Amino acid sequence: MAGPAELLLALFCVCVLTLASGDGNSPWSDIIRLPSDESLDGDSVGTRWAVLVAGSSGYGNYRHQADVCHAYQTLIKGGLKEENIIVFMYDDIAHHEENPRPGTIINHPHGQDVYAGVPKDYVKDHVTVENFFAVLLGNKSAVTGGSGKVVDSGPNDHIFVFYSDHGGPGVLGMPTYPYLYAGDLVNVLKKKHAAGTYKSLVFYLEACESGSIFEGLLPEDLNIYATTAANATESSWGTYCPGGLPSPPPEFDTCLGDLYSVSWMEDSDVHNLQTETLKQQYHLVRDRTSNYNTYNLGSHAMQFGNLELTDEQLFLFMGSNPANENSSFVNGNNLPVYSTAVNQRDADLLYFWNKYRRIPEGSLEKVNAQKQLFDVMAHRMHIDNSMELIGKLLFGSKKGAEVLNTVRPAGQPLVDDWDCLKTMVRVFEKHCGSLSQYGMKHMRSIANICNAGLRKETMEDVAAQACTVIPAGPWSSLSKGFSA
């Protein structure tokens, strides 16, 4: 007579044979699963699409293109097809004269090159808001330049969007003008939904005040889930910066990545994404981005839209690297803790300072580097002082700062009239020069001028009084145009 061990073995063999026969009605099919049954069939989830955007230019912004190149490598290893990934980046970093490793980009102090193989779909002056919107909507006729690739998605497809850049309240930067405004972005997402050309869409956003892009604007019924590196009132953070822990290789003068961005990618690079959900990754990224709830050199990662999507597996949007098949997500997983990060808005100062510091004394190069540093600092002071004076002229010396810095209650959008915001931005830049990536921090002040009901003519008069001369140099609105 067979013993208990033999009976268990026989029962197991019967279950395996039943499962192997493909009979989905087996009473055992919901109890015992073969490892291969846990894998999702790539064809069964529709086509995966991805749009990756680095919204800056200049070697001091190395980290944004590094983030996007790293994201591309993660998705390719996950099984997404190159023809379904559209990349926007200015492409001035890998071969920049200051790059100590010409032709390569790294996103971690000990990381490999992430630039190789990245398609140049939209580069240089083709990295525009108009092209980004056309690509999202699948509108080939509206694209100018570039590869012409668009998200030609269908109703069963899943779309992943990752955008890494500078930002401000209600605005995201671009290496070209105009910038991207939150009201316009959400309107495009609504159009995409109305067209019925996706099943679900996930949007990861790295930027200062990135929560303001979706807060009070993104409806819950679009089947879109968005996470942001920061809430609506705080900066996001650069990481792997000179002087930090860990630091980049000593030959680098600039940050290699952004804290929120490297957090989701370094998690995706090591786990089986068929076993990890959007919710689980959000919690990991939120903890690391907050510096494990201390918010000391960290920010509040946020989530918006349809939160029911967070139960979906990351595999639906990013695929999964087969090499990680045995690295399933388990509760208790965490990401590395690093003690230093740099406010995104100050990362350019760190870059210009380190560049100046490294150049030998007495050289013309040293003089030029010093001028760059002083010009950046002077521009910051000019923008800050101009906005402060405009507030005093509009609302009085006592109430000016209070009105400009007012933060609306949580759940409300930054501004009610987005056209007014863009009009007031143009008026400011006409008289006071470009806001630039630093000046985006003042978008809340300009929005509050609109929320107070002031007219364009009043703003024209006050801006002309506050700024009697348009500053010369790289931040002149006369040479660059307007950011709105």
Side-chain angles (χ1 to χ4, degrees):
M1 183 174 181
E6 288 81 359
L7 287 174
L8 285 173
L9 179 60
L11 178 61
F12 176 76
C13 292
V14 169
C15 293
V16 169
L17 290 172
T18 302
L19 288 167
S21 70
D23 181 5
N25 297 318
S26 166
W28 303 103
S29 61
D30 291 330
I31 301 174
I32 299 178
R33 300 284 184 186
L34 293 176
S36 59
D37 292 330
E38 296 176 359
S39 298
L40 293 174
D41 180 0
D43 294 333
S44 70
V45 300
T47 300
R48 300 180 188 83
W49 296 85
V51 182
L52 311 176
V53 183
S56 67
S57 61
Y59 189 74
N61 290 318
Y62 182 108
R63 62 196 181 279
H64 299 137
Q65 292 183 47
D67 292 340
V68 160
C69 289
H70 185 174
Y72 176 82
Q73 305 298 345
T74 298
L75 298 178
I76 284 292
K77 290 177 181 177
L80 272 71
K81 299 176 181 178
E82 180 181 327
E83 59 263 33
N84 298 131
I85 306 174
I86 298 100
V87 179
F88 287 78
M89 65 176 180
Y90 203 75
D91 196 29
D92 61 341
I93 301 301
H95 299 287
H96 196 281
E97 62 181 4
E98 294 180 37
N99 187 355
R101 300 182 183 180
T104 67
I105 295 177
I106 59 175
N107 196 218
H108 185 279
H110 307 296
Q112 301 297 313
D113 174 34
V114 293
Y115 180 71
V118 177
K120 298 176 174 59
D121 291 312
Y122 298 92
V123 299
K124 299 296 189 289
D125 292 341
H126 297 142
V127 183
T128 65
V129 172
E130 293 82 0
N131 277 345
F132 175 53
F133 287 168
V135 165
L136 279 179
L137 293 172
N139 188 352
K140 292 183 179 181
S141 63
V143 168
T144 302
S147 67
K149 285 164 62 177
V150 299
V151 179
D152 189 17
S153 53
N156 295 318
D157 294 351
H158 302 274
I159 302 171
F160 175 67
V161 181
F162 171 51
Y163 198 119
S164 178
D165 189 26
H166 291 282
V171 67
L172 298 173
M174 273 283 180
T176 56
Y177 280 173
Y179 289 158
L180 188 158
Y181 286 78
D184 295 331
L185 173 61
V186 173
N187 284 337
V188 166
L189 294 175
K190 290 177 179 178
K191 288 181 182 178
K192 185 71 175 174
H193 179 261
T197 53
Y198 68 88
K199 186 172 184 180
S200 55
L201 187 153
V202 169
F203 201 124
Y204 280 17
L205 176 57
E206 171 80 63
C208 294
E209 286 96 8
S210 44
S212 66
I213 302 300
F214 299 113
E215 186 168 28
L217 293 171
L218 183 64
E220 296 179 2
D221 60 356
L222 302 184
N223 225 29
I224 294 175
Y225 170 68
T227 78
T228 62
N231 64 24
T233 62
E234 66 187 351
S235 297
S236 61
W237 294 79
T239 192
Y240 305 142
C241 301
L245 292 174
S247 287
E251 64 269 25
F252 283 86
D253 293 327
T254 187
C255 302
L256 301 181
D258 292 290
L259 185 56
Y260 163 90
S261 297
V262 302
S263 295
W264 76 258
M265 286 184 282
E266 290 177 8
D267 172 57
S268 300
D269 286 341
V270 298
H271 284 133
N272 180 352
L273 302 187
Q274 297 186 48
T275 66
E276 183 174 353
T277 65
L278 287 160
K279 180 188 296 182
Q280 289 167 328
Q281 183 165 85
Y282 168 72
H283 287 157
L284 280 181
V285 172
R286 180 195 62 188
D287 289 347
R288 182 175 172 186
T289 303
S290 69
N291 204 356
Y292 290 87
N293 298 314
T294 66
Y295 300 99
N296 176 28
L297 306 179
S299 58
H300 298 74
M302 306 294 288
Q303 51 185 349
F304 302 91
N306 182 0
L307 301 189
E308 291 182 2
L309 278 178
T310 61
D311 291 327
E312 298 285 4
Q313 294 162 319
L314 289 163
F315 175 79
L316 286 177
F317 305 94
M318 304 179 190
S320 186
N321 187 344
N324 298 331
E325 185 175 352
N326 295 320
S327 299
S328 296
F329 182 93
V330 295
N331 291 330
N333 280 358
N334 54 50
L335 294 169
V337 181
Y338 297 126
S339 60
T340 55
V342 174
N343 185 309
Q344 267 237 62
R345 229 168 239 127
D346 293 333
D348 62 335
L349 286 180
L350 180 67
Y351 157 67
F352 284 117
W353 166 249
N354 278 294
K355 178 180 176 180
Y356 167 76
R357 182 179 55 84
R358 289 167 63 96
I359 297 172
E361 294 288 344
S363 66
L364 178 60
E365 191 179 3
K366 185 84 166 183
V367 173
N368 291 334
Q370 183 184 59
K371 183 178 185 304
Q372 278 186 312
L373 178 60
F374 286 175
D375 284 349
V376 170
M377 296 173 66
H379 169 68
R380 289 176 169 229
M381 292 179 60
H382 166 73
I383 293 295
D384 291 343
N385 292 338
S386 298
M387 192 62 67
E388 180 182 3
L389 181 54
I390 285 173
K392 290 178 178 179
L393 291 172
L394 287 173
F395 304 109
S397 58
K398 291 185 178 180
K399 290 197 65 177
E402 177 186 343
V403 174
L404 294 187
N405 296 326
T406 296
V407 177
R408 290 180 133 185
Q412 288 191 21
L414 174 76
V415 67
D416 297 321
D417 187 343
W418 290 91
D419 288 334
C420 173
L421 175 62
K422 289 189 277 189
T423 295
M424 294 302 192
V425 167
R426 287 192 290 268
V427 170
F428 178 90
E429 294 187 328
K430 172 184 173 182
H431 294 281
C432 302
S434 174
L435 284 166
S436 77
Q437 63 187 38
Y438 171 77
M440 283 191 279
K441 66 181 282 188
H442 291 295
M443 284 293 177
R444 187 178 309 280
S445 297
I446 301 175
N448 286 334
I449 292 172
C450 288
N451 294 336
L454 295 177
R455 300 172 61 210
K456 175 186 176 183
E457 292 76 14
T458 303
M459 182 66 170
E460 287 272 11
D461 292 341
V462 167
Q465 293 178 55
C467 304
T468 56
V469 179
I470 297 178
W475 294 285
S476 171
S477 56
L478 292 178
S479 62
K480 294 193 68 174
F482 298 109
S483 62

